[in-house]
Amino acid sequence: MLDIAKSERNKRISEGGVFKSYLTTEYGVEIETESFQYKISFYNEHTIRVHQTSHSQDCNPYSVVQSPKKISFQVEDNDNSLVITSESLDVVIDKSPILFTFLNKDGKILNQDEPGLGIQTQGEQKTIYKKLQSNERFVGLGEKTGPLDRSGNGYQNWNTDHFAYDIEADPLYASIPFYIGIHNGLSYGVFLDNSYKSHFNFGASNNRFSSFSVDSGDMDYYFFNGSVSEIIQSYTWLTGRMSLPPMWSIGYQQCRYSYYPDTEVLDVAKKFRDKDIPADVIVLDIHYMDEYKIFSWDKERFPNPDQMVDLLKEMGFEVVVICDPGIKTEGKYLPYDSGKKEDVFLKYPDGKYYEGEVWPGWCHFPDFTKEETRSWWKDMMKSYTDIGIKGFWNDMNEIATWGQMLPENIEFDFEGEGATTRKGRNIYGMQMARSAYEGASKNLDGKRPFILTRAGFAGVQRYSALWTGDNVANDEHMLLGVRMVNSLGLSGVPFSGYDVGGFAGNGQSNLFARWIQIGAFSPFFRGHSMINSHDSEPWSYGEEVEEISKNYIRLRYKLLPYIYHAFVQASESGTPVTRSLCIDYTTDDKIYAADFENQYLFGDNILVAPLASDQRYGKVYLPEGEWYEFFTDEQLAGGQEMIREYALEHLPLFIKASSIIPVYGDATQNSKNVGECLELHFYAGTDHSSTEYYEDDGVSYESSNGVFHRRLIEFAPSQKEIKIKEASGNYNSKIKKLKLVLHGFDQNELNNWKHGSIERKCYSYVQPISNFDPFEKDHRDNLKSENVFSTEIAYTNEEMVFNW
Ligand code: MIG
């Protein structure tokens, strides 16, 4: 017995493979071992793929959108190892057994296979063990609960519907097998490109290794080197980036499970306008449908959906509808009949349709891994797009069914390659989102659709925004949502959010007030709550909370040019909209501490320090540099912890010194009514800085044909100069007036200001709260208003230079 066990063990260890031969290819090397082939190829200078395969390849065709690139590298064949050297990254491959070590150009080890464990195979499961580096931290992995630094924890990727999940639950709806390791001032990224169920261990229950394993399919991963932000750039280059969503989808969205009938929908919309609370979207949940049947309308509750959509548009609202994948198995229902005819539904191996039960009853499910199905879905979607609906919320696409036990033998087309649930489950949601995105883009004839999804996989950002599913109305969930959105941002999904106010359960008014403040600093900003919970609109919690909500929603709209620019950055470089502090302050240990791990930068310059709803004293850590308290302009030195008092209506927000913040000071109602005045806020500091002002029509793809208005803004404090460069692009800016607002400047210093009159002014981003007026007392005392100046001039496309 003992001998068998021993030889089994040796077999497992050697199954990683012993080197037999290699050849150099255009992109890297291919190594033969007795049981595997290793294909090692550069995708760019900072991205290298390690693909262990056997005769029949089993890869994921959906996530990666790049192919290998020719870069210069050398291969050296030593007795015991192969060494690949390139401009930015070296790889040493031990021969017996095969083990990988990745090094930077200083010869520092970024990451290495654990020498005694390496790559192991047990049945179909393959695991790579990586040596745990000293004080190694792990961030990313997408929509996962838990802390920012995931060391000591383990996770699974298996898209799962989990109503009212526990704050430590795993897995949830979406899977992104990409993480970033950080140690000794170094960082690297790993993307495991395999859609079977996968497992990640970041030093959980052991002190020897981190590991990742796949239940089946090829061990196929990409290794990235660089800083955290460079790694995110490379990962999003590899798996694709979001294209700019419609401007209206970045505004406030009001959802409810469910608003009906149509008169209630219109009432809610009207209330926003009557109360002067800006909003762009009303979302329709499952009760708009006839017996929950997708592509149908309940004839009594919504007798004239087209009229309703028109009326909402007149009020400045777009409509988003929920879409579930299940097609009720009922004759004389077009999607069912035509779906059968077009052969688009998932089947068992014996050719019988899979049937699962969900809202409409027993259903078939479209196989979105097939081009014909996606094109059929596009045609079905016409019933929405034809009446002016441009927003599609994809729910239940894990696939969720009653019983939550999707059979594992269902067959998926996988673009003709074939797969079963084991490989298809994690991919399904993303392909449904893709069908919605591609279908709606075609149907809408040049208008950008807004797609939201619950399930997803690596690369889903190309098609869709993502929200974190059925959270619970409590503080822990509010703060967890922040971490999950930040983690999604680290993992390539910049447009994400959580149900503001909490989906399940009834929250107290303070909780709603805090949540809407924090949500205003989330990429996707939507209030939503569950059926049979109490009302949860901005006006549902009494006057004070209504005013707070109104102020923060308005603040969101004022910040639209800043936020839109952050979306442009995300679409061009993959840099997320909410940035965990591990991106810019990677080596600062404090930012990983439990007290501070929820803090993040919203865009380039606004630091958000979320507080629980009843916390009146906020413990905040400002990283290195100089900062300004957002509401008071109080100047604060970074690199220190502080405890500050915060009234309910004050979310701790800080602006980096030398920042430039573009603001639509006159924004009202919705994203189409942003006024004609652009305010540029400059915060005195020592560093030079720059940003861009970006504007386009917000709805079409014309910006890719040069129809945008874009200009660089430079702030050079030491040269006492602000330069607004000439505008580029063919879009006629709606801006007529430019207002410069200078924070923290010295009166004497500004004596030489020659560009029109400059006045000292108390500037506030939000209105005072009437019952509890911080501007009357504490706030106004704190406000360093003597240091805020502003001036107004005409806005032109030519370069404008200001000196003082
Ligand atoms: O079985 O459509 O996460 O946001 O309101 C529940 C009803 C189905 C789950 C979604 C939630 C939505 C709800 N849906």
Side-chain angles (χ1 to χ4, degrees):
M1 272 311 279
L2 208 82
D3 276 356
I4 295 173
K6 203 172 154 197
S7 73
E8 262 302 301
R9 194 179 66 227
N10 285 339
K11 186 163 160 267
R12 282 209 299 269
I13 290 171
S14 68
E15 249 173 330
V18 172
F19 180 91
K20 274 179 24 194
S21 64
Y22 86 101
L23 61 96
T24 305
T25 67
E26 270 181 298
Y27 309 111
V29 297
E30 282 180 20
I31 298 172
E32 293 290 338
T33 71
E34 65 272 38
S35 35
F36 291 111
Q37 194 181 41
Y38 288 87
K39 295 181 180 174
I40 295 127
S41 30
F42 282 99
Y43 274 57
N44 66 27
E45 271 84 13
H46 307 281
T47 307
I48 191 163
R49 177 182 183 185
V50 178
H51 178 193
Q52 183 206 51
T53 185
S54 46
H55 303 296
S56 55
Q57 291 200 7
D58 191 351
C59 299
N60 166 24
Y62 291 113
S63 294
V64 168
V65 293
Q66 298 291 343
S67 43
K69 297 270 174 308
K70 272 191 203 162
I71 67 150
S72 84
F73 66 90
Q74 282 81 45
V75 184
E76 195 184 299
D77 186 3
N78 301 328
D79 287 348
N80 300 322
S81 63
L82 275 189
V83 181
I84 308 175
T85 42
S86 75
E87 306 262 300
S88 86
L89 177 66
D90 295 347
V91 188
V92 176
I93 305 165
D94 288 2
K95 289 182 175 175
S96 181
I98 297 284
L99 291 170
F100 287 79
T101 303
F102 300 91
L103 304 113
N104 72 6
K105 291 315 279 185
D106 300 330
K108 298 236 167 76
I109 292 178
L110 298 166
N111 172 276
Q112 75 192 117
D113 291 354
E114 214 286 337
L117 302 172
I119 303 182
Q120 293 191 4
T121 305
Q122 295 195 61
E124 278 179 62
Q125 191 181 59
K126 299 169 195 78
T127 305
I128 295 199
Y129 295 87
K130 298 286 188 182
K131 182 169 187 263
L132 207 51
Q133 305 292 329
S134 64
N135 301 314
E136 190 164 10
R137 301 181 187 281
F138 301 87
V139 301
L141 214 68
E143 185 191 60
K144 293 295 181 198
T145 58
L148 166 62
D149 174 6
R150 304 191 176 285
S151 60
N153 293 283
Y155 305 86
Q156 268 194 61
N157 289 312
W158 194 234
N159 291 0
T160 299
D161 173 16
H162 196 155
F163 169 72
Y165 49 93
D166 183 87
I167 60 157
E168 293 185 340
D170 180 68
L172 295 179
Y173 315 89
S175 302
I176 304 179
F178 165 71
Y179 72 89
I180 297 169
I182 298 163
H183 63 89
N184 302 304
L186 306 166
S187 50
Y188 67 88
V190 169
F191 167 47
L192 174 59
D193 190 14
N194 178 310
S195 68
Y196 285 90
K197 187 186 280 180
S198 60
H199 312 262
F200 285 73
N201 181 323
F202 298 126
S205 305
N206 88 87
N207 55 8
R208 184 176 175 187
F209 62 82
S210 66
S211 68
F212 44 91
S213 62
V214 293
D215 274 11
S216 189
D218 287 359
M219 180 49 84
D220 190 2
Y221 73 95
Y222 293 79
F223 183 87
F224 309 90
N225 77 333
S227 66
V228 173
S229 80
E230 287 165 346
I231 291 166
I232 298 170
Q233 277 188 35
S234 295
Y235 169 74
T236 55
W237 170 81
L238 188 74
T239 59
R241 296 177 182 139
M242 155 187 88
S243 61
L244 260 189
M247 179 71 134
W248 54 263
S249 67
I250 301 170
Y252 182 67
Q253 306 199 15
Q254 185 63 53
C255 189
R256 169 84 214 193
Y257 174 14
S258 308
Y259 290 127
Y260 67 83
D262 52 2
T263 47
E264 184 182 5
V265 176
L266 292 163
D267 280 351
V268 172
K270 189 161 174 295
K271 223 157 181 180
F272 276 98
R273 297 299 176 244
D274 290 347
K275 289 179 171 292
D276 231 355
I277 302 174
D280 269 88
V281 177
I282 301 280
V283 187
L284 302 183
D285 205 329
I286 50 176
H287 291 91
Y288 76 84
M289 294 179 263
D290 174 29
E291 294 178 328
Y292 308 121
K293 285 184 291 183
I294 174 95
F295 307 120
S296 77
W297 291 85
D298 182 307
K299 295 213 168 45
E300 265 161 37
R301 294 170 180 158
F302 295 88
N304 293 305
D306 45 345
Q307 249 176 43
M308 179 191 70
V309 172
D310 287 347
L311 287 171
L312 286 166
K313 280 194 200 264
E314 277 166 31
M315 284 192 270
F317 280 92
E318 293 290 339
V319 178
V320 171
V321 290
I322 198 167
C323 296
D324 289 359
I327 303 289
K328 190 178 174 79
T329 54
E330 172 188 273
K332 302 218 169 66
Y333 166 45
L334 178 74
Y336 176 71
D337 296 331
S338 76
K340 276 211 305 197
K341 197 163 138 238
E342 308 285 327
D343 191 20
V344 302
F345 298 129
L346 291 170
K347 291 176 192 152
Y348 287 106
D350 66 356
K352 292 211 166 111
Y353 288 123
Y354 165 60
E355 245 176 305
E357 201 183 6
V358 65
W359 288 110
W362 291 99
C363 289
H364 292 334
F365 295 85
D367 181 359
F368 293 111
T369 68
K370 189 162 124 178
E371 180 53 42
E372 291 81 356
T373 310
R374 295 193 290 268
S375 140
W376 168 79
W377 194 253
K378 173 198 77 194
D379 294 341
M380 291 295 117
M381 285 177 76
K382 286 210 174 102
S383 65
Y384 298 135
T385 49
D386 281 353
I387 62 170
I389 294 172
K390 302 190 207 80
F392 304 93
W393 168 24
N394 297 269
D395 190 21
M396 307 296 269
N397 50 355
E398 292 75 27
I399 302 170
T401 51
W402 305 159
Q404 300 289 13
M405 192 58 67
L406 190 67
E408 299 214 348
N409 61 347
I410 300 172
E411 298 196 321
F412 291 71
D413 183 72
F414 255 64
E415 317 306 317
E417 288 175 23
T420 68
T421 310
R422 296 180 67 209
K423 191 177 180 183
R425 176 166 168 154
N426 282 338
I427 286 292
Y428 189 83
M430 171 186 181
Q431 293 308 301
M432 182 185 178
R434 171 188 180 180
S435 306
Y437 175 74
E438 292 176 350
S441 298
K442 282 185 189 133
N443 292 351
L444 291 172
D445 206 20
K447 293 269 185 322
R448 302 175 206 168
F450 166 66
I451 311 295
L452 178 66
T453 185
R454 195 168 70 174
F457 194 73
V460 67
Q461 68 271 8
R462 303 199 296 270
Y463 313 117
S464 185
L466 191 144
W467 98 108
T468 60
D470 298 343
N471 63 4
V472 183
N474 63 43
D475 279 300
E476 290 74 29
H477 258 276
M478 177 174 71
L479 299 174
L480 171 65
V482 168
R483 284 198 300 285
M484 290 209 285
V485 165
N486 292 345
S487 179
L488 281 159
L490 290 168
S491 316
V493 183
F495 197 6
S496 61
Y498 29 76
D499 288 346
V500 168
F503 180 69
N506 290 311
Q508 300 307 307
S509 53
N510 285 0
L511 179 72
F512 188 85
R514 250 325 169 232
W515 216 324
I516 204 139
Q517 294 169 357
I518 297 171
F521 293 88
S522 153
F524 169 60
F525 184 24
R526 185 186 76 167
H528 184 35
S529 64
M530 199 188 149
I531 194 166
N532 297 330
S533 60
H534 64 45
D535 286 357
S536 198
E537 288 78 30
W539 49 82
S540 311
Y541 295 90
E543 273 177 40
E544 190 185 347
V545 176
E546 183 177 327
E547 278 201 69
I548 291 172
S549 305
K550 182 168 165 172
N551 273 342
Y552 278 80
I553 296 175
R554 284 184 170 182
L555 178 57
R556 167 87 174 192
Y557 279 80
K558 289 184 183 182
L559 288 171
L560 272 180
Y562 176 80
I563 301 171
Y564 202 44
H565 174 244
F567 273 76
V568 171
Q569 289 176 309
S571 70
E572 291 179 349
S573 70
T575 307
V577 175
T578 61
R579 302 174 193 165
S580 159
L581 297 185
C582 73
I583 299 178
D584 287 351
Y585 307 96
T586 315
T587 57
D588 184 341
D589 287 337
K590 276 258 169 69
I591 61 118
Y592 301 94
D595 280 340
F596 309 119
E597 62 173 353
N598 300 324
Q599 293 184 187
Y600 61 95
L601 280 173
F602 184 65
D604 290 327
N605 297 314
I606 302 179
L607 186 139
V608 184
L611 282 190
S613 58
D614 291 323
Q615 248 179 299
R616 288 294 160 269
Y617 289 89
K619 199 168 171 192
V620 171
Y621 174 67
L622 294 180
E624 62 176 2
E626 298 289 319
W627 300 86
Y628 289 78
E629 215 282 341
F630 184 69
F631 294 103
T632 62
D633 269 4
E634 184 184 348
Q635 294 181 34
L636 299 161
Q640 57 164 336
E641 286 178 30
M642 52 193 86
I643 292 176
R644 299 173 64 81
E645 193 179 349
Y646 283 96
L648 178 63
E649 72 272 21
H650 272 168
L651 179 68
L653 295 171
F654 303 88
I655 309 274
K656 224 190 261 178
S658 297
S659 292
I660 308 164
I661 312 272
V663 167
Y664 291 141
D666 302 332
T668 56
Q669 270 212 358
N670 65 13
S671 60
K672 291 172 197 92
N673 296 294
V674 296
E676 296 185 336
C677 177
L678 174 68
E679 294 175 7
L680 293 176
H681 291 249
F682 295 87
Y683 288 80
T686 46
D687 293 343
H688 286 207
S689 74
S690 67
T691 189
E692 272 189 310
Y693 174 64
Y694 178 91
E695 196 186 331
D696 62 17
D697 65 15
V699 294
S700 79
Y701 292 103
E702 282 303 299
S703 51
S704 54
N705 301 323
V707 189
F708 53 74
H709 172 86
R710 185 168 196 167
R711 63 201 309 177
L712 192 66
I713 302 165
E714 294 175 333
F715 180 25
S718 63
Q719 286 152 17
K720 300 186 190 283
E721 184 168 276
I722 288 169
K723 201 185 264 177
I724 303 171
K725 300 279 220 178
E726 191 187 342
S728 66
N730 299 323
Y731 182 72
N732 288 329
S733 170
K734 288 176 288 209
I735 299 302
K736 302 271 183 296
K737 215 164 65 182
L738 177 69
K739 187 167 168 183
L740 303 182
V741 187
L742 310 177
H743 299 253
F745 282 62
D746 204 305
Q747 168 89 75
N748 296 329
E749 218 191 358
L750 289 171
N751 285 340
N752 290 328
W753 184 271
K754 300 177 207 69
H755 318 274
S757 68
I758 186 149
E759 56 171 327
R760 175 193 280 174
K761 214 172 173 188
C762 166
Y763 184 92
S764 64
Y765 286 93
V766 300
Q767 300 299 309
I769 305 266
S770 43
N771 295 334
F772 188 93
D773 185 356
F775 288 88
E776 284 301 327
K777 304 190 278 322
D778 319 357
H779 183 84
R780 192 164 286 166
D781 291 345
N782 283 337
L783 193 68
K784 303 286 184 277
S785 59
E786 69 268 23
N787 290 335
V788 182
F789 302 86
S790 74
T791 184
E792 272 181 32
I793 55 162
Y795 185 82
T796 67
N797 283 346
E798 283 83 59
E799 177 170 287
M800 298 181 244
V801 184
F802 304 88
N803 294 96
W804 60 92

